[in-house]
Amino acid sequence: WGGGGGGGGGGMVERTSPEIVRTPLDELVLQVCLLDEHRKRSSSAAAVAGTSPVDFLSRAPEPPPSRSLRNACRHLLEVGAMDIASPRRPSGNTLFRLTPLGYHLSHLPMDAKVGKVLVVGCVLRCIEPSLTVAASLSCARSPFLINAPNGGSNARGGGGKGGGGRKEALDLQRSLVESGFGGRGWRGGTVKGDLIGAVAAYDAWTASGTDDRDRRRFALENALDHAALREVRGLREQFRECMIDAGFLGRSSSGGGRGRGGGGGGKGGGTVGEAECA
């Protein structure tokens, strides 16, 4: 297909850039370190501790920029997925090795920070709200509307007229969060924050009814984005399946869609805050 007539430069590019230079490299770096550890364990010869993902991936047919690789390594160091095995080498590139956390994250097909939230959530036995936190981090849309519904339809981008408006939306959302997960009177302690608020909103939305029509009505009445909450629900189930496949959860914990459900979901907001901060 040759679009963009008239020589205006509107046609398609001859070929797209390789995925390795277009996507985040954290998962790829973790896989390189994992494969190198497996190779060294199966080899009888003495092996150097650690590996250099920068050196290894620089030998690809179309390698990613070295700066991107170093940024990925730095990010994984901050997450705690890797540590430095040997900081000084003739090539100038550092040797890294996986930490126990990094070993588990290398088996999870998701962003390292999102995976860490779920792993720590399993350790602290608060996996249900941790699933909601992870899904909220991965969702492109906020569960909270900017403006309150006006005349039965939301006003995400425009100014609210009549009954709508930013202040009304904030009042509705604040009331929902204060009376929900991590709010006043919550048995696990009061916790504030956007992600804790997202857990409260998702819990209340899920508990509002078994019918999608009831949940949509509840979302409109409380200035919540029904479509975003449905996306969060889908992401939660995808992440749950990943954790089951990785051995962190059993099939018995696959029920219950709410943040207070099985798998240690009854932990308080303070425990979930600890998982979020970790």
Side-chain angles (χ1 to χ4, degrees), residues 117-118 120-133 181 259 261-276:
V117 169
L118 296 176
V120 175
C122 286
V123 173
L124 298 179
R125 297 186 58 80
C126 56
I127 185 59
E128 290 295 333
S130 294
L131 283 167
T132 304
V133 170
F181 186 92
K267 293 290 184 181
T271 307
V272 181
E274 292 170 7
E276 179 186 334

Side-chain angles (χ1 to χ4, degrees), residues 152-187:
S153 61
N154 70 58
R156 169 174 286 273
K161 297 181 180 179
R166 177 60 175 157
K167 184 179 183 301
E168 183 182 353
L170 286 173
D171 290 341
L172 290 168
Q173 294 160 2
R174 187 177 295 112
S175 175
L176 182 69
V177 171
E178 287 292 341
S179 61
F181 186 92
R184 291 191 307 266
W186 182 253
R187 62 186 180 275

